[in-house]
């Protein structure tokens, strides 16, 4: 068989991951905060994009949305023709002298303030008078957030005079975590700094005397011991209690009384003193601001008993494409490079607006199907949460599983029962002992918690008993699964619970 060259024509289909498609996929899985940051970057780079300034007004007065939008477009000044102050004052029906006092025209009967006051002479500045020089810096009035490292470094500058020890102390302060603990071994620190280990230990001992008390500790026991020493309460009995905190956590009071050599009353006082200590002394300095969860979708009950699912407008940035500006600047473009740049900006702007609209529709479609599937949860609670996976949602709305996975990532829904992440509603299925519908893993966890919360000190439920009760209620589950769910709920074993409940009853 001879080998000869041939020309063949084949037709095939393939999915090409264009940059626009890759960015659209990335845009779909962004959270509301990340999406706002992404849109801000695009607004800085693309001159044809602008944020819809009337979004808040539209949300407050939907009936006037068209008027607000027209006013926003009509208020644009022509490029190169800035609007005069008088016309702006007439259009907005206000006096800019109250807003911009530095630019306000001086009336003939109003004395002109001096350009700058004489040193030490503030008689000319009465209450409410404005300084006519440089505008006030509002950031100067914002209180500085003192971090733990800054607080310790200020104390280090006063407590240590040797330059070498100051360097060691500064390095140790950098290693202290936000809770106030030094997690890295001192041997590693000494080896890294090529310093003697006794010198590092000596500097650490100095740092452990700083405020807040307990900072620089290498363990919880050392942190509590530092605070007790400052209160002059670190006696041998208290030292034995601190060295055996695991017994206190298990409420093994008999062993603690034997190790500490005290009676019940003294042990109760010692435990109460331990509870008044701060196990994380560093958290009082420079605590990060906790960002509240902003829901992307809100669900509310309709009068007919159904559920209304709608997007939260504040979490969706709205951008506009300034077509009129593009039409003006493209006419005055000097060369092909400028025209190409403007064309690319227009394509990017159109793509971004379409992608944001498509993202909103997809999120709403997925959230609506989740609400439909989990109607029992919204009506009756966690016990009626159904098992759900990505394929069930994808098949119901005609999308791919990966798309549903991206939509549910970092998205939150506000329901009458609280704010939940969309992924919360996707739980594994546990078989029904009677062959009926499967149970949700989250619903089974809820049942386990309810049973344990209702148990009495004389009748603490073991894992085997929980398995039997669940089987009687139609849940087919193994003992190791019950133990795993119990540990995920941070519930101790039956032995520890029995000891805790009896100890609490005796203390009462």
């Amino acid at each position: 068989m001879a080998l000869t060259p041939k020309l063949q024509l084949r037709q095939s289909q393939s999915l090409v991951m264009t940059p626009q498609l890759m960015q659209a996929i990335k845009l779909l899985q962004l959270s509301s905060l990340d999406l706002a940051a992404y849109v801000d970057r695009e607004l800085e780079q693309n001159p044809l994009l602008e944020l819809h300034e009337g979004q808040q007004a539209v949300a407050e007065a939907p009936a006037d949305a068209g008027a607000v939008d027209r006013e926003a477009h009509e208020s644009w000044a022509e490029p190169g023709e800035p609007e005069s102050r008088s016309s702006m004052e007439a259009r907005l029906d206000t006096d800019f002298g109250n807003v911009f006092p530095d630019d306000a025209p001086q009336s003939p009967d109003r004395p002109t303030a001096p350009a700058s006051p004489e040193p030490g002479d503030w008689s000319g500045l009465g209450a409410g008078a404005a300084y006519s020089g440089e505008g006030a810096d509002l950031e100067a009035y914002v209180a500085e957030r003192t971090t733990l490292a800054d607080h310790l470094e200020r104390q280090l500058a006063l407590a240590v005079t040797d330059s070498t020890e100051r360097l060691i102390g500064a390095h140790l302060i950098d290693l202290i975590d936000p809770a106030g603990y030094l997690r890295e071994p001192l041997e590693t620190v000494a080896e890294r700094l090529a310093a003697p280990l006794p010198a590092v230990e000596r500097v650490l001992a100095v740092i452990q005397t700083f405020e807040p008390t307990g900072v620089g500790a290498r363990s919880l026991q050392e942190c509590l011991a530092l605070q007790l020493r400052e209160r002059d309460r670190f006696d041998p009995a208290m030292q034995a209690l601190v060295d055996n905190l695991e017994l206190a956590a298990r409420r093994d009071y008999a062993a603690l009384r034997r190790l500490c050599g005290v009676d019940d009353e003294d042990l109760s006082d010692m435990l109460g003193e331990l509870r008044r200590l701060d196990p994380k002394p560093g958290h009082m300095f420079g605590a990060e601001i906790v960002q509240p969860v902003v829901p992307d979708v809100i669900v509310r009950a309709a009068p007919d008993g159904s559920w209304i699912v709608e997007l939260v407008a504040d979490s969706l940035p709205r951008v506009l494409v300034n077509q009129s500006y593009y039409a003006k600047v493209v006419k005055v473009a000097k060369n092909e490079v400028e025209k190409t740049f403007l064309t690319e900006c227009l394509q990017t702007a159109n793509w971004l607006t379409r992608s944001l609209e498509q993202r909103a529709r997809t999120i709403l479609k997925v959230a609506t199907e989740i609400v439909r599937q989990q109607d029992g949860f919204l009506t009756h609670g966690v016990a009626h949460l159904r098992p759900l996976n990505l394929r069930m949602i994808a098949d119901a709305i005609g999308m791919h599983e990966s798309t549903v996975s991206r939509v549910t990532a970092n998205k939150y829904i506000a329901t009458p029962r609280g704010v939940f992440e969309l992924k919360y509603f996707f739980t594994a299925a546990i078989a029904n002992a009677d062959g009926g519908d499967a149970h949700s893993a989250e619903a089974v966890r809820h049942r386990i918690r309810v049973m344990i919360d209702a148990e009495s000190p004389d009748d603490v439920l073991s894992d085997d008993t929980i398995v039997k009760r669940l089987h009687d209620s139609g849940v087919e589950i193994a003992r190791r699964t019950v133990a795993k769910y119990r540990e995920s709920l941070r519930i101790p074993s039956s032995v520890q619970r029995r000891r805790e409940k009896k100890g609490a009853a005796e203390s009462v």
Side-chain angles (χ1 to χ4, degrees), residues 399-473:
M399 291 185 177
H400 196 269
E401 292 182 47
S402 60
T403 304
V404 178
S405 177
R406 293 186 180 96
V407 170
T408 55
N410 305 315
K411 310 294 188 307
Y412 293 86
I413 181 172
T415 70
R417 299 193 174 274
V419 179
F420 300 91
E421 190 177 7
L422 287 180
K423 286 188 177 297
Y424 171 82
F425 299 98
F426 296 91
T427 59
I430 297 179
N432 193 311
D434 301 329
D437 294 337
H439 301 273
S440 168
E442 192 64 31
V444 174
R445 287 192 185 95
H446 177 71
R447 291 190 185 185
I448 294 174
R449 177 182 289 279
V450 170
M451 285 190 292
I452 292 177
D453 290 342
E455 65 185 6
S456 62
D458 299 329
D459 186 20
V460 177
L461 302 177
S462 64
D463 291 346
D464 292 327
T465 305
I466 295 175
V467 169
K468 184 177 182 304
R469 291 192 177 184
L470 289 175
H471 187 273
D472 294 340
S473 62

Coordinates of all heavy atoms in Angstrom, one line a residue, residues 399-473:
M399 N -29.1 23.5 32.9 CA -27.7 24.0 32.9 C -26.8 22.9 33.3 O -27.2 21.8 33.7 CB -27.6 25.2 33.9 CG -28.3 26.4 33.5 SD -28.0 27.8 34.6 CE -28.9 29.1 33.8
H400 N -25.5 23.2 33.1 CA -24.5 22.2 33.5 C -24.2 22.3 35.0 O -24.4 23.4 35.6 CB -23.2 22.5 32.7 CG -22.2 21.3 32.8 ND1 -21.2 21.2 33.7 CD2 -22.1 20.2 32.0 CE1 -20.6 20.1 33.5 NE2 -21.1 19.5 32.5
E401 N -23.7 21.2 35.6 CA -23.5 21.2 37.0 C -22.4 22.2 37.4 O -22.5 22.8 38.5 CB -23.0 19.8 37.4 CG -24.1 18.7 37.3 CD -23.6 17.4 37.8 OE1 -23.0 17.3 38.9 OE2 -23.8 16.4 37.1
S402 N -21.4 22.4 36.5 CA -20.3 23.3 36.9 C -20.9 24.7 37.0 O -20.4 25.5 37.8 CB -19.2 23.2 35.8 OG -19.7 23.5 34.5
T403 N -21.8 25.0 36.1 CA -22.4 26.4 36.2 C -23.2 26.6 37.5 O -23.1 27.6 38.1 CB -23.4 26.6 35.0 OG1 -22.7 26.4 33.8 CG2 -24.0 28.0 35.0
V404 N -23.9 25.6 37.9 CA -24.7 25.7 39.2 C -23.7 25.8 40.3 O -23.9 26.5 41.3 CB -25.6 24.4 39.4 CG1 -26.3 24.5 40.7 CG2 -26.6 24.4 38.2
S405 N -22.6 25.1 40.3 CA -21.5 25.1 41.3 C -20.9 26.5 41.4 O -20.7 27.0 42.5 CB -20.4 24.1 41.0 OG -19.4 24.2 42.0
R406 N -20.7 27.1 40.3 CA -20.1 28.5 40.3 C -21.2 29.5 40.8 O -20.8 30.5 41.5 CB -19.7 28.9 38.9 CG -18.5 28.1 38.4 CD -18.0 28.7 37.1 NE -16.8 27.9 36.6 CZ -16.9 26.9 35.7 NH1 -18.1 26.6 35.2 NH2 -15.9 26.3 35.3
V407 N -22.4 29.3 40.5 CA -23.4 30.2 40.9 C -23.6 30.2 42.4 O -23.8 31.2 43.1 CB -24.8 29.9 40.2 CG1 -25.9 30.7 40.9 CG2 -24.7 30.3 38.7
T408 N -23.6 29.0 43.0 CA -23.8 28.8 44.4 C -22.6 29.1 45.3 O -22.7 29.2 46.5 CB -24.2 27.4 44.7 OG1 -23.3 26.5 44.2 CG2 -25.6 27.1 44.1
A409 N -21.4 29.4 44.7 CA -20.2 29.7 45.4 C -20.3 31.1 45.9 O -20.5 32.1 45.1 CB -19.0 29.4 44.6
N410 N -20.0 31.4 47.2 CA -19.9 32.7 47.7 C -21.2 33.5 47.5 O -21.1 34.8 47.5 CB -18.7 33.5 47.1 CG -17.4 32.7 47.3 OD1 -17.1 32.2 48.4 ND2 -16.6 32.7 46.2
K411 N -22.3 32.9 47.4 CA -23.6 33.6 47.3 C -24.5 33.2 48.5 O -24.5 32.1 49.0 CB -24.4 33.2 46.0 CG -23.5 33.2 44.8 CD -23.2 34.6 44.4 CE -22.5 34.6 43.0 NZ -21.4 33.7 42.8
Y412 N -25.3 34.2 49.0 CA -26.1 34.1 50.2 C -27.5 34.4 49.8 O -27.8 35.3 49.0 CB -25.6 34.9 51.3 CG -24.2 34.5 51.8 CD1 -23.0 35.0 51.2 CD2 -24.1 33.7 52.9 CE1 -21.8 34.6 51.7 CE2 -22.8 33.3 53.4 CZ -21.7 33.7 52.7 OH -20.5 33.4 53.2
I413 N -28.4 33.8 50.6 CA -29.8 34.0 50.4 C -30.5 34.3 51.7 O -30.2 33.6 52.8 CB -30.5 32.7 49.8 CG1 -32.0 33.0 49.5 CG2 -30.3 31.5 50.6 CD1 -32.7 31.9 48.7
A414 N -31.3 35.4 51.8 CA -32.0 35.8 53.0 C -33.4 35.2 53.0 O -34.2 35.4 52.1 CB -32.0 37.3 53.1
T415 N -33.7 34.4 54.0 CA -34.9 33.7 54.1 C -35.6 34.1 55.4 O -34.9 34.7 56.3 CB -34.8 32.2 54.1 OG1 -34.1 31.7 55.3 CG2 -33.9 31.7 52.9
P416 N -36.9 33.8 55.6 CA -37.5 34.1 56.9 C -36.8 33.3 58.1 O -37.1 33.7 59.2 CB -38.9 33.6 56.7 CG -39.2 33.7 55.2 CD -37.9 33.4 54.6
R417 N -36.0 32.3 57.8 CA -35.3 31.6 58.8 C -33.9 32.0 59.0 O -33.1 31.3 59.7 CB -35.4 30.0 58.6 CG -36.9 29.6 58.5 CD -37.0 28.1 58.6 NE -38.4 27.6 58.7 CZ -39.0 27.5 59.8 NH1 -38.4 27.8 60.9 NH2 -40.3 27.2 59.8
G418 N -33.5 33.0 58.3 CA -32.1 33.5 58.5 C -31.4 33.6 57.1 O -32.0 33.3 56.1
V419 N -30.2 34.0 57.2 CA -29.3 34.1 56.0 C -28.4 32.9 55.9 O -27.7 32.5 56.8 CB -28.5 35.4 56.0 CG1 -27.6 35.5 54.8 CG2 -29.3 36.6 56.2
F420 N -28.5 32.2 54.7 CA -27.7 31.0 54.5 C -27.0 31.1 53.2 O -27.4 31.8 52.3 CB -28.7 29.8 54.4 CG -29.5 29.6 55.6 CD1 -30.8 30.1 55.7 CD2 -29.1 28.8 56.6 CE1 -31.6 29.9 56.9 CE2 -29.8 28.5 57.8 CZ -31.1 29.1 57.9
E421 N -25.8 30.4 53.1 CA -25.1 30.3 51.9 C -25.9 29.3 51.0 O -26.5 28.3 51.5 CB -23.7 29.8 52.1 CG -22.8 29.8 50.9 CD -21.4 29.4 51.2 OE1 -21.2 28.9 52.3 OE2 -20.6 29.5 50.3
L422 N -25.9 29.5 49.7 CA -26.6 28.7 48.8 C -26.2 27.2 48.9 O -27.0 26.3 48.7 CB -26.5 29.2 47.4 CG -27.3 30.5 47.1 CD1 -27.1 30.9 45.6 CD2 -28.8 30.3 47.3
K423 N -24.9 27.0 49.2 CA -24.4 25.6 49.3 C -24.9 24.9 50.5 O -24.8 23.7 50.6 CB -22.9 25.6 49.3 CG -22.2 25.9 47.9 CD -20.7 25.7 48.0 CE -20.1 26.0 46.6 NZ -20.6 25.0 45.6
Y424 N -25.5 25.7 51.5 CA -26.1 25.0 52.7 C -27.2 24.1 52.3 O -27.4 23.1 53.0 CB -26.6 26.1 53.6 CG -27.4 25.6 54.8 CD1 -26.7 25.1 55.9 CD2 -28.8 25.6 54.8 CE1 -27.4 24.7 57.0 CE2 -29.5 25.2 55.8 CZ -28.8 24.7 56.9 OH -29.6 24.2 58.0
F425 N -27.9 24.4 51.2 CA -29.1 23.6 50.9 C -28.7 22.3 50.2 O -29.6 21.5 49.9 CB -30.0 24.4 50.0 CG -30.6 25.6 50.8 CD1 -30.0 26.8 50.5 CD2 -31.6 25.5 51.6 CE1 -30.5 28.0 51.2 CE2 -32.1 26.6 52.3 CZ -31.5 27.8 52.1
F426 N -27.4 22.1 49.8 CA -27.0 20.9 49.2 C -26.4 19.9 50.2 O -25.3 20.2 50.7 CB -26.0 21.2 48.1 CG -26.5 22.0 47.0 CD1 -26.4 23.4 47.0 CD2 -27.1 21.5 45.9 CE1 -26.9 24.2 46.0 CE2 -27.6 22.2 44.8 CZ -27.5 23.6 44.9
T427 N -27.1 18.9 50.6 CA -26.7 18.0 51.6 C -26.8 16.5 51.0 O -27.6 16.3 50.1 CB -27.6 18.1 52.8 OG1 -29.0 17.9 52.5 CG2 -27.5 19.5 53.4
A428 N -26.1 15.7 51.7 CA -26.1 14.3 51.3 C -27.4 13.6 51.7 O -28.1 14.0 52.6 CB -24.9 13.5 51.9
A429 N -27.7 12.5 51.0 CA -28.9 11.7 51.3 C -28.6 10.5 52.2 O -27.6 9.9 52.0 CB -29.5 11.3 50.0
I430 N -29.4 10.3 53.2 CA -29.3 9.2 54.1 C -30.6 8.3 53.9 O -31.7 8.8 53.9 CB -29.2 9.6 55.6 CG1 -27.9 10.4 55.8 CG2 -29.3 8.4 56.5 CD1 -27.7 10.9 57.2
A431 N -30.4 7.0 53.6 CA -31.5 6.1 53.3 C -32.5 6.0 54.3 O -32.2 6.2 55.5 CB -30.9 4.7 52.9
N432 N -33.7 5.8 53.9 CA -34.9 5.6 54.8 C -34.9 4.1 55.2 O -34.9 3.2 54.3 CB -36.2 6.0 54.1 CG -37.3 6.2 55.1 OD1 -37.6 5.2 55.9 ND2 -38.0 7.3 55.1
A433 N -35.1 3.8 56.5 CA -35.2 2.4 56.9 C -36.4 1.7 56.4 O -36.4 0.5 56.2 CB -35.1 2.4 58.4
D434 N -37.4 2.4 56.1 CA -38.7 1.8 55.6 C -38.8 1.9 54.1 O -39.8 1.5 53.5 CB -39.9 2.6 56.2 CG -39.9 2.5 57.7 OD1 -39.4 1.5 58.3 OD2 -40.4 3.5 58.4
G435 N -37.7 2.3 53.4 CA -37.8 2.3 51.9 C -38.4 3.6 51.4 O -38.7 3.6 50.1
G436 N -38.7 4.6 52.2 CA -39.4 5.8 51.7 C -38.3 6.8 51.2 O -37.2 6.4 50.7
D437 N -38.7 8.1 51.2 CA -37.8 9.1 50.7 C -36.6 9.2 51.6 O -36.7 9.0 52.9 CB -38.6 10.4 50.7 CG -39.7 10.5 49.7 OD1 -39.6 9.7 48.7 OD2 -40.6 11.3 49.8
A438 N -35.5 9.5 51.0 CA -34.3 9.7 51.8 C -34.3 10.9 52.7 O -35.1 11.8 52.5 CB -33.1 9.7 50.9
H439 N -33.4 10.9 53.7 CA -33.4 12.0 54.6 C -32.1 12.9 54.4 O -31.1 12.3 53.9 CB -33.3 11.5 56.1 CG -34.5 10.7 56.5 ND1 -35.7 11.2 57.0 CD2 -34.7 9.4 56.4 CE1 -36.5 10.3 57.2 NE2 -36.0 9.1 56.9
S440 N -32.2 14.1 54.6 CA -31.1 15.0 54.5 C -30.1 14.8 55.6 O -30.5 14.7 56.8 CB -31.5 16.5 54.4 OG -30.4 17.4 54.5
A441 N -28.8 14.9 55.3 CA -27.8 14.8 56.4 C -27.9 15.9 57.4 O -27.7 15.7 58.6 CB -26.4 14.7 55.7
E442 N -28.2 17.1 56.9 CA -28.4 18.3 57.8 C -29.6 18.1 58.7 O -29.5 18.4 59.9 CB -28.5 19.5 57.0 CG -28.4 20.8 57.8 CD -27.0 21.0 58.4 OE1 -26.0 20.5 57.8 OE2 -26.9 21.6 59.5
A443 N -30.7 17.5 58.2 CA -31.8 17.2 59.0 C -31.5 16.2 60.1 O -32.0 16.3 61.2 CB -33.0 16.8 58.1
V444 N -30.7 15.2 59.7 CA -30.3 14.2 60.7 C -29.4 14.8 61.8 O -29.6 14.5 63.0 CB -29.6 13.0 60.0 CG1 -29.1 12.0 61.0 CG2 -30.6 12.3 59.0
R445 N -28.5 15.7 61.4 CA -27.7 16.4 62.4 C -28.6 17.1 63.4 O -28.4 17.2 64.6 CB -26.7 17.3 61.7 CG -25.6 16.7 61.1 CD -24.5 17.7 60.7 NE -23.4 17.2 59.9 CZ -23.4 17.1 58.6 NH1 -24.4 17.7 57.9 NH2 -22.4 16.6 58.0
H446 N -29.6 17.8 62.8 CA -30.6 18.5 63.7 C -31.3 17.6 64.6 O -31.5 17.9 65.8 CB -31.6 19.3 62.8 CG -32.6 20.0 63.5 ND1 -32.3 21.2 64.3 CD2 -33.9 19.8 63.7 CE1 -33.4 21.6 64.8 NE2 -34.4 20.8 64.5
R447 N -31.7 16.4 64.2 CA -32.4 15.5 65.1 C -31.4 15.0 66.2 O -31.8 14.9 67.4 CB -32.8 14.3 64.3 CG -34.0 14.5 63.3 CD -34.5 13.2 62.8 NE -35.5 13.4 61.8 CZ -36.2 12.4 61.2 NH1 -36.0 11.2 61.6 NH2 -37.1 12.7 60.3
I448 N -30.2 14.8 65.9 CA -29.2 14.4 66.9 C -29.0 15.4 67.9 O -29.0 15.2 69.1 CB -27.9 14.0 66.2 CG1 -28.0 12.8 65.3 CG2 -26.8 13.8 67.3 CD1 -26.8 12.4 64.5
R449 N -28.9 16.7 67.5 CA -28.8 17.8 68.5 C -30.0 17.9 69.4 O -29.9 18.1 70.6 CB -28.5 19.1 67.7 CG -28.4 20.3 68.6 CD -28.2 21.6 67.9 NE -26.9 21.6 67.3 CZ -25.8 22.0 68.0 NH1 -25.9 22.3 69.2 NH2 -24.6 22.1 67.4
V450 N -31.2 17.8 68.8 CA -32.4 17.9 69.6 C -32.5 16.8 70.6 O -32.8 17.0 71.8 CB -33.6 17.9 68.6 CG1 -34.9 17.8 69.4 CG2 -33.7 19.1 67.8
M451 N -32.1 15.6 70.2 CA -32.2 14.5 71.2 C -31.2 14.7 72.3 O -31.5 14.4 73.5 CB -31.9 13.1 70.4 CG -33.1 12.6 69.6 SD -32.9 10.9 69.0 CE -31.5 11.2 67.8
I452 N -30.0 15.1 72.0 CA -29.0 15.3 73.0 C -29.3 16.5 73.9 O -29.1 16.4 75.2 CB -27.6 15.5 72.4 CG1 -27.2 14.2 71.7 CG2 -26.6 15.9 73.4 CD1 -25.8 14.3 71.0
D453 N -29.9 17.5 73.4 CA -30.3 18.7 74.2 C -31.4 18.3 75.2 O -31.5 18.9 76.3 CB -30.7 19.8 73.3 CG -29.6 20.5 72.6 OD1 -28.4 20.2 73.0 OD2 -29.8 21.2 71.6
A454 N -32.2 17.3 74.8 CA -33.4 16.9 75.6 C -33.0 15.9 76.7 O -33.9 15.5 77.5 CB -34.5 16.5 74.8
E455 N -31.8 15.3 76.6 CA -31.5 14.2 77.6 C -31.3 14.7 79.0 O -30.9 15.9 79.2 CB -30.2 13.5 77.1 CG -29.0 14.4 77.1 CD -27.8 13.7 76.5 OE1 -27.9 12.6 76.0 OE2 -26.7 14.3 76.6
S456 N -31.5 13.9 80.0 CA -31.4 14.3 81.4 C -30.1 13.7 81.9 O -29.4 12.8 81.3 CB -32.5 13.7 82.2 OG -32.5 12.2 82.1
P457 N -29.6 14.3 83.0 CA -28.3 13.8 83.6 C -28.3 12.3 83.9 O -27.3 11.6 83.9 CB -28.1 14.6 84.8 CG -28.9 15.9 84.6 CD -30.1 15.4 83.8
D458 N -29.5 11.7 84.3 CA -29.6 10.3 84.6 C -29.8 9.4 83.4 O -29.8 8.2 83.5 CB -30.7 10.1 85.6 CG -30.5 10.9 86.9 OD1 -29.3 11.0 87.3 OD2 -31.5 11.3 87.5
D459 N -30.1 10.0 82.2 CA -30.3 9.2 81.0 C -29.6 9.8 79.9 O -30.2 10.4 78.9 CB -31.8 9.1 80.8 CG -32.2 8.2 79.6 OD1 -31.3 7.3 79.3 OD2 -33.3 8.3 79.1
V460 N -28.3 9.8 79.9 CA -27.5 10.3 78.8 C -27.4 9.3 77.6 O -27.2 8.1 77.9 CB -26.0 10.6 79.3 CG1 -25.2 11.1 78.1 CG2 -26.1 11.7 80.4
L461 N -27.7 9.8 76.4 CA -27.8 8.9 75.3 C -26.4 8.6 74.7 O -25.6 9.4 74.5 CB -28.7 9.6 74.2 CG -30.1 10.0 74.6 CD1 -30.7 10.7 73.4 CD2 -30.9 8.8 75.0
S462 N -26.2 7.3 74.6 CA -25.0 6.8 73.9 C -25.2 6.9 72.4 O -26.3 7.0 71.9 CB -24.6 5.4 74.3 OG -25.6 4.5 74.0
D463 N -24.1 6.7 71.6 CA -24.2 6.7 70.2 C -25.1 5.5 69.7 O -25.9 5.7 68.7 CB -22.8 6.6 69.5 CG -22.0 7.9 69.7 OD1 -22.7 8.9 70.1 OD2 -20.8 7.9 69.5
D464 N -25.0 4.4 70.4 CA -25.8 3.2 70.0 C -27.3 3.5 70.2 O -28.1 3.1 69.4 CB -25.4 2.0 70.8 CG -24.0 1.5 70.4 OD1 -23.6 1.7 69.2 OD2 -23.2 1.0 71.2
T465 N -27.6 4.2 71.3 CA -29.0 4.5 71.6 C -29.5 5.5 70.6 O -30.7 5.4 70.1 CB -29.1 5.1 73.0 OG1 -28.5 4.2 74.0 CG2 -30.6 5.4 73.4
I466 N -28.7 6.5 70.2 CA -29.1 7.4 69.1 C -29.4 6.7 67.8 O -30.3 7.0 67.1 CB -28.1 8.5 69.0 CG1 -28.0 9.4 70.3 CG2 -28.4 9.4 67.8 CD1 -26.9 10.4 70.2
V467 N -28.5 5.8 67.5 CA -28.7 5.0 66.3 C -30.0 4.3 66.3 O -30.8 4.2 65.3 CB -27.5 4.0 66.0 CG1 -27.8 3.0 64.9 CG2 -26.3 4.8 65.7
K468 N -30.4 3.6 67.5 CA -31.6 2.9 67.6 C -32.8 3.8 67.5 O -33.8 3.5 66.8 CB -31.6 2.2 68.9 CG -32.8 1.3 69.1 CD -32.8 0.5 70.4 CE -34.0 -0.4 70.6 NZ -35.2 0.3 70.5
R469 N -32.8 5.0 68.1 CA -33.9 5.9 68.0 C -34.1 6.4 66.6 O -35.2 6.6 66.1 CB -33.7 7.1 69.0 CG -33.8 6.6 70.5 CD -33.9 7.8 71.4 NE -34.0 7.4 72.8 CZ -34.2 8.3 73.8 NH1 -34.3 9.6 73.5 NH2 -34.3 7.9 75.0
L470 N -33.0 6.7 65.9 CA -33.1 7.2 64.6 C -33.7 6.1 63.7 O -34.5 6.4 62.7 CB -31.7 7.7 64.0 CG -31.2 9.0 64.6 CD1 -29.8 9.2 64.1 CD2 -32.1 10.1 64.3
H471 N -33.2 4.8 63.9 CA -33.8 3.7 63.1 C -35.3 3.6 63.3 O -36.0 3.3 62.4 CB -33.0 2.5 63.4 CG -33.4 1.3 62.5 ND1 -34.4 0.5 62.8 CD2 -32.8 0.9 61.4 CE1 -34.5 -0.4 61.8 NE2 -33.5 -0.2 61.0
D472 N -35.7 3.8 64.6 CA -37.1 3.7 64.8 C -37.9 4.7 64.2 O -39.1 4.5 63.8 CB -37.4 3.7 66.4 CG -36.8 2.5 67.1 OD1 -36.5 1.5 66.4 OD2 -36.5 2.6 68.3
S473 N -37.3 5.9 63.9 CA -38.0 7.0 63.2 C -37.8 7.0 61.7 O -38.3 7.9 61.0 CB -37.5 8.4 63.8 OG -36.1 8.5 63.5

